[in-house]
Amino acid sequence: MSTVDSQQRVLSGMRPTGRLHLGHLHGVLNNWVKLQNEYECFFFVADWHALTTHYGDAELFDNNVIDMVIDWLAVGVNPGQAALFVQSKVIEHAELHLLLSMLTPLGWLERVPSYKDMQDKLQEKDLDTYGFLGYPLLQAADILIYRAGFVPVGADQVAHVELTREVARRFNHLYGREPGFEEHAVAAIRKMGKKAGRLYSQFRTAYQEQGDHDALAKAQALLQAQQNISLGDRERLFGYLEGGGKMILAEPKSLLTHAPKMPGLDGQKMSKSYNNTLSLREPLDQVEKKISTMPTDPARVRLSDPGDPDKCPVWQLHQVYTDEETRDWVVQGCKSAGIGCLECKKPVIDAVISELEPIQQQAQQYERDPDLVKSIIVEGSETARQSARETLHEVRSAMGLSAW
Ligand code: TRP
Ligand code: SF4
């Protein structure tokens, strides 16, 4: 697949943190399930990334990887639609990381915001390591090796995708300039045929001379539709549109997930480190118990004390789980002391339970058959490797590393 087609690819990774919770479901996984219908998707367990901060904790990995993939499958991430794999099973990521490290200025890594942030946050770990500094570049390799067009990420990861774009640009700048590029490009235009060739040249001029982005998009679509040119020519023409040389690595875009923040049981963001989560495999009686004992507006000591939903974490769960009519009932009943807090929590409890019930049934099937989960991962890793190898082959030869 050429760089041009691969722009319809989506890639995302998750560190193996073990069992996932409702925050992951609403923040990430529901989005993945949607994306797998619209794009060619690659989703992977970023186990090497976890090693950059948790080296030394060997027991953390194997079970966490399987457990996390079970949760992906249980919520509907479909191995028939998306390649699901584990980073360390696709060693090509490591070679691309190494090769890119040769041309990545140290300063680019040192000024990634998460570098200092995480060092401050994880004081108990020595993160003055080579691997930790290089972790955003490893992420760049994860993305570039599939020439993914889109990377769904949270706001904290946008800087990493930006770095990825810079590295791709630098790589293309250094290695896309083959001798005689211009002549090759002109010959490639001729191969497109008269009509398509003329259109391409018109769009290119409109983009280069008037900055017409519409024309750029049209030219890219035109290239995408071309059957009769080779992969190398396509990359040349893709690069020739914007300037200098062949586009060997594709610049990805972040797809910011716009899910509303998932509140935890205490009203803070749901997160394992706050100990306020409902896990996807939380026993349902525990779900009921945990929500029933959630704190509410402290002003409501007695049933007859009116409250204010804005001061209550349960109200935030209503935003995620209930309809407008129910929420009107909550506001009314809370402010007038017309309903009790347990009564108010009931529709949230019901909604969470009916969301989790089918997920847990699915999860149980996979828990009973870990070999099935492993074979899904092996197969996904094989699919991923095929794409990864193609890119790596081109990267090696562009860098002058011989193919024999
Ligand atoms: N760095 C991401 C995180 O910590 C995980 C990740 C690794 C990733 N490689 C990626 C995400 C590539 C998107 C694309 O959450
Ligand atoms: Fe919170 Fe509902 Fe109780 Fe009001 S009635 S304090 S919104 S739980």
Side-chain angles (χ1 to χ4, degrees):
M1 179 170 302
S2 78
T3 314
V4 191
D5 303 322
S6 71
Q7 296 289 284
Q8 288 308 306
R9 269 192 195 162
V10 162
L11 170 117
S12 201
M14 223 190 254
R15 288 168 179 245
T17 47
R19 296 192 176 190
L20 303 179
H21 53 64
L22 286 175
H24 298 110
L25 178 65
H26 289 261
V28 182
L29 295 174
N30 283 341
N31 190 38
W32 285 12
V33 170
K34 205 168 90 214
L35 288 167
Q36 72 188 359
N37 296 316
E38 298 162 17
Y39 297 94
E40 185 191 9
C41 288
F42 291 79
F43 299 129
F44 72 100
V45 182
D47 54 352
W48 282 337
H49 284 266
L51 266 182
T52 64
T53 48
H54 288 77
Y55 60 87
D57 301 336
E59 69 289 349
L60 222 75
F61 287 84
D62 209 18
N63 288 336
N64 275 354
V65 169
I66 302 284
D67 256 343
M68 191 164 81
V69 174
I70 288 180
D71 282 341
W72 293 0
L73 295 166
V75 304
V77 178
N78 181 350
Q81 288 176 288
L84 309 184
F85 64 99
V86 175
Q87 185 181 30
S88 63
K89 296 204 179 302
V90 185
I91 51 164
E92 284 77 3
H93 290 227
E95 186 175 339
L96 186 60
H97 176 213
L98 173 83
L99 295 176
L100 294 176
S101 77
M102 307 302 171
L103 51 117
T104 304
L106 262 185
W108 289 12
L109 296 172
E110 285 162 346
R111 69 175 143 76
V112 171
S114 59
Y115 182 56
K116 286 265 171 294
D117 287 358
M118 291 247 268
Q119 279 186 333
D120 291 345
K121 225 158 106 193
L122 296 175
Q123 291 278 358
E124 72 281 5
K125 274 272 172 196
D126 179 1
L127 293 183
D128 244 338
T129 56
Y130 180 50
F132 184 68
L133 176 65
Y135 131 76
L137 187 64
L138 178 57
Q139 183 162 354
D142 298 336
I143 298 169
L144 294 174
I145 204 156
Y146 301 103
R147 297 158 152 171
F150 299 102
V151 185
V153 284
D156 61 320
Q157 299 280 312
V158 171
H160 298 167
V161 179
E162 199 43 53
L163 173 80
T164 306
R165 295 169 61 81
E166 283 172 20
V167 171
R169 223 173 291 150
R170 183 162 164 83
F171 184 93
N172 290 333
H173 176 76
L174 288 170
Y175 294 110
R177 289 169 188 278
E178 48 184 352
F181 173 73
E182 181 98 21
E183 291 76 33
H184 281 119
V186 171
I189 295 177
R190 232 174 278 127
K191 286 184 210 152
M192 287 207 297
K194 242 197 188 133
K195 186 157 163 256
R198 191 171 337 114
L199 267 175
Y200 173 89
S201 302
Q202 279 167 5
F203 290 144
R204 177 171 176 269
T205 310
Y207 174 64
Q208 294 202 338
E209 290 178 5
Q210 289 124 45
D212 182 347
H213 283 268
D214 228 33
L216 176 63
K218 282 186 189 145
Q220 288 166 341
L222 180 73
L223 285 176
Q224 205 155 3
Q226 285 299 304
Q227 308 280 335
N228 48 349
I229 53 175
S230 69
L231 192 139
D233 276 344
R234 226 192 260 227
E235 282 168 356
R236 272 179 204 106
L237 292 177
F238 205 56
Y240 192 51
L241 281 172
E242 297 185 72
K246 238 166 127 175
M247 193 102 111
I248 299 166
L249 295 178
E251 290 181 37
K253 295 191 178 68
S254 306
L255 269 186
L256 253 186
T257 328
H258 286 294
K261 192 177 82 185
M262 181 71 200
L265 292 166
D266 56 359
Q268 297 187 82
K269 178 180 177 220
M270 188 177 282
S271 158
K272 209 152 117 181
S273 48
Y274 298 145
N275 206 6
N276 64 0
T277 63
L278 286 171
S279 111
L280 296 182
R281 285 186 259 170
E282 195 86 41
L284 298 178
D285 56 341
Q286 283 296 312
V287 171
E288 176 162 16
K289 191 162 154 219
K290 285 190 174 176
I291 300 178
S292 299
T293 52
M294 267 178 78
T296 62
D297 177 359
R300 296 208 70 185
V301 182
R302 276 174 299 268
L303 189 63
S304 55
D305 297 328
D308 177 358
D310 286 333
K311 296 185 180 137
C312 175
V314 179
W315 176 236
Q316 294 185 47
L317 284 177
H318 274 282
Q319 312 294 318
V320 178
Y321 281 103
T322 63
D323 59 19
E324 214 178 313
E325 199 184 327
T326 310
R327 293 200 299 266
D328 287 345
W329 166 81
V330 171
V331 173
Q332 264 284 330
C334 181
K335 290 188 168 168
S336 64
I339 58 170
C341 289
L342 258 184
E343 206 179 344
C344 176
K345 288 169 171 176
K346 182 82 170 67
V348 171
I349 294 173
D350 291 346
V352 174
I353 287 180
S354 53
E355 180 175 57
L356 289 183
E357 226 167 6
I359 294 176
Q360 298 192 354
Q361 275 169 11
Q362 287 293 321
Q364 271 166 23
Q365 304 212 353
Y366 291 109
E367 277 170 38
R368 272 189 237 118
D369 195 354
D371 283 345
L372 173 62
V373 181
K374 285 179 192 161
S375 73
I376 288 171
I377 294 173
V378 169
E379 204 172 298
S381 304
E382 217 16 78
T383 306
R385 279 192 89 173
Q386 276 170 19
S387 298
R389 272 194 212 115
E390 278 180 31
T391 310
L392 201 50
H393 181 76
E394 279 194 58
V395 166
R396 282 188 199 132
S397 87
M399 293 180 87
L401 300 167
S402 52
W404 46 265

